[in-house]
């Protein structure tokens, strides 16, 4: 009996977003051991605590060339010159001061589809950074091949959909958008959505893509730009954000808090939204992100990290839930990186 009990306890749970990948039941039990965790409930997010301390990982930040580098090697896109410093040296200094171990670098609009600067950073610091490239939705469809090359050749592990780069009058659900989203699923990389003009502006597109391509993971940047609701329209947007949890492949970045909070640091009006996100998605589908370097003149990088603990405490989250948000979620999503 004791031996049977040990066997049962050793069979962990699988994230629901992986269920489509399961082998037949017979081979599953005979060949595979998984560590299960249940999404969508707060209790489940504290089921498994690692033996070693989970690294702190920033799920959303940018770097770009210094003015000198822009002249010599990595030019800015005309009209998109940065208004504040964003070099990797500054980032590394900020991360060290804050005790952040790694980060997902999102390709900045300053360099648009020229990924050479971010690629150079990924190559120089392969154990610290993972790259999220920028989807090119040009009508000739060349962006699909470009995406495949960035992933297979340069090692990018995610792609960002900026809907405002799509040709005028077209949506992310056009033929090119579907091809890019489908290709991301084939490559095993998540798609990040930037809904700067509001979630409801792009909700139908996101729902359609998630429905048609359930194997493609999704990251909603900056809480999908949903502010703490103060009126019916904002209540609907936040309600729609919570309803997207029905798609098990959808994750939420609790990032760029200065963009969505109505208050200054420590952004304590986000405590209830965080509580609702964790209650609905599970902490293992929520991840912290700073939005460096834009956060630096707002509250500073170190305090951006500290704010999460303060908000989580106000939201009565457990230590395990905070651990998921501060690194474990993104570590498991991008398996093979940032291991203890």
């Amino acid at each position: 009996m004791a031996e049977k009990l040990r066997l049962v306890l050793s069979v962990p749970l699988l994230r629901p977003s992986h269920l489509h990948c399961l082998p037949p039941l017979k081979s599953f039990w005979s060949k595979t051991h998984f560590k299960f965790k249940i999404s969508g409930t707060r209790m489940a997010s504290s089921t498994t605590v690692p033996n070693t301390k989970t690294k702190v990982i920033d799920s959303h930040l940018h770097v770009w060339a210094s003015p000198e580098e822009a002249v010599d090697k990595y030019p800015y896109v005309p009209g998109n010159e940065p208004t504040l410093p964003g070099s990797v040296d500054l980032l590394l200094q900020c991360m060290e001061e804050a005790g952040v171990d790694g980060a997902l670098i999102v390709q900045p609009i300053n360099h648009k589809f020229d990924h050479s600067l971010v690629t150079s950073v990924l190559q120089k610091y392969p154990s610290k950074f993972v790259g999220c490239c920028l989807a090119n939705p040009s009508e000739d469809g060349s962006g699909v091949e470009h995406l495949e090359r960035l992933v297979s050749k340069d090692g990018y592990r995610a792609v960002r959909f900026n809907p405002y780069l799509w040709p005028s009058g077209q949506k992310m659900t056009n033929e090119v958008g579907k091809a890019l989203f489908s290709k991301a699923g084939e490559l095993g990389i998540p798609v990040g959505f930037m809904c700067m003009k509001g979630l409801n502006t792009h909700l139908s597109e996101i729902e359609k893509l998630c429905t048609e391509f359930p194997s493609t993971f999704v990251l909603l940047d900056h809480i999908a730009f949903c502010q703490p609701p103060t009126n019916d329209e904002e209540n609907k947007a936040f309600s729609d954000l919570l309803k997207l949890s029905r798609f098990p492949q959808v994750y939420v970045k609790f990032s760029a808090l200065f963009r969505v909070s109505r208050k200054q640091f420590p952004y304590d009006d986000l405590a209830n939204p965080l509580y609702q996100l964790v209650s609905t998605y599970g902490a293992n589908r929520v991840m912290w992100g700073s939005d460096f370097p834009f956060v630096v003149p707002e509250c500073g990088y170190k305090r951006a990290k500290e704010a999460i603990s303060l908000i989580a405490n106000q939201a009565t989250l457990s230590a395990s839930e905070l651990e998921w948000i501060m690194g474990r979620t993104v570590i498991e999503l991008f398996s093979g990186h940032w291991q203890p």
Side-chain angles (χ1 to χ4, degrees):
M1 182 65 184
E3 180 63 26
K4 289 183 178 179
L5 181 59
R6 281 195 296 271
L7 286 173
V8 170
L9 292 175
S10 70
V11 180
L13 291 179
L14 188 66
R15 183 185 296 135
S17 54
H18 288 169
L19 292 180
H20 67 277
C21 300
L22 283 177
L25 188 59
K26 183 176 180 181
S27 65
F28 166 69
W29 288 113
S30 63
K31 297 181 181 179
T32 313
H33 293 283
F34 291 98
K35 289 190 176 178
F36 279 124
K37 65 180 187 296
I38 305 171
S39 293
T41 63
R42 291 194 59 208
M43 184 178 294
S45 64
S46 58
T47 54
T48 307
V49 179
N51 293 326
T52 54
K53 184 179 181 296
T54 300
K55 292 182 176 181
V56 175
I57 305 298
D58 188 337
S59 74
H60 194 106
L61 53 75
H62 310 276
V63 293
W64 47 70
S66 66
E68 295 76 21
E69 290 175 320
V71 171
D72 294 338
K73 196 171 184 180
Y74 305 113
Y76 305 132
V77 173
N80 285 292
E81 294 82 3
T83 58
L84 72 169
S87 70
V88 68
D89 290 337
L90 175 60
L91 171 61
L92 290 169
Q93 178 184 338
C94 289
M95 290 174 66
E96 183 176 2
E97 291 174 353
V100 175
D101 301 294
L104 178 68
I105 300 178
V106 180
Q107 170 72 7
I109 196 65
N110 314 87
H111 297 291
K112 208 169 183 180
F113 303 126
D114 178 0
H115 289 69
S116 55
L117 181 277
V118 172
T119 300
S120 72
V121 174
L122 299 178
Q123 292 172 345
K124 188 173 182 179
Y125 304 99
S127 64
K128 187 172 286 288
F129 298 121
V130 168
C132 175
C133 59
L134 181 62
N136 182 351
S138 60
E139 293 181 279
D140 62 7
S142 60
V144 177
E145 183 181 343
H146 186 221
L147 172 61
E148 192 162 15
R149 185 168 62 253
L150 286 168
V151 173
S152 61
K153 180 177 179 292
D154 297 323
Y156 284 80
R157 295 288 306 275
V159 58
R160 189 182 212 191
F161 274 30
N162 180 342
Y164 317 113
L165 295 178
W166 256 252
S168 179
Q170 297 197 34
K171 295 185 176 182
M172 295 182 289
T173 48
N174 67 0
E175 184 178 347
V176 170
K178 287 185 176 182
L180 286 165
F181 196 82
S182 176
K183 177 57 68 174
E186 292 175 22
L187 295 170
I189 64 170
V191 173
F193 286 104
M194 185 181 76
C195 304
M196 187 171 285
K197 294 183 180 179
L199 174 61
N200 287 337
T201 304
H202 308 290
L203 179 63
S204 62
E205 298 165 81
I206 294 171
E207 290 177 324
K208 185 176 180 63
L209 291 170
C210 286
T211 300
E212 292 190 24
F213 306 98
S215 64
T216 302
F217 288 85
V218 166
L219 308 175
L220 298 175
D221 296 345
H222 312 332
I223 326 176
F225 288 86
C226 290
Q227 291 186 290
T230 60
N231 55 47
D232 289 344
E233 182 180 353
E234 292 169 352
N235 272 313
K236 182 182 185 307
F238 194 77
S239 176
D240 287 335
L241 169 61
L242 297 179
K243 289 176 183 177
L244 284 174
S245 65
R246 72 187 185 276
F247 296 105
Q249 75 264 41
V250 175
Y251 290 67
V252 179
K253 289 185 180 181
F254 194 68
S255 55
L257 304 188
F258 64 93
R259 294 188 187 276
V260 291
S261 174
R262 301 181 189 278
K263 297 185 177 182
Q264 298 299 310
F265 174 89
Y267 314 116
D268 57 10
D269 60 337
L270 295 176
N272 187 55
L274 178 60
Y275 175 86
Q276 292 187 65
L277 286 171
V278 171
S279 297
T280 306
Y281 282 86
N284 55 337
R285 289 165 64 190
V286 180
M287 60 190 78
W288 166 69
S290 68
D291 202 19
F292 172 93
F294 300 107
V295 73
V296 173
E298 296 291 336
C299 69
Y301 187 84
K302 185 177 181 180
R303 292 213 298 172
K305 177 199 170 189
E306 293 170 350
I308 304 300
S309 296
L310 297 172
I311 295 169
N313 182 61
Q314 186 178 348
T316 66
L317 301 191
S318 69
S320 178
E321 288 168 332
L322 180 59
E323 181 183 39
W324 282 106
I325 294 168
M326 294 305 295
R328 195 171 175 197
T329 297
V330 69
I331 287 171
E332 293 211 357
L333 184 60
F334 295 98
S335 59
H337 291 269
W338 306 307
Q339 298 303 324

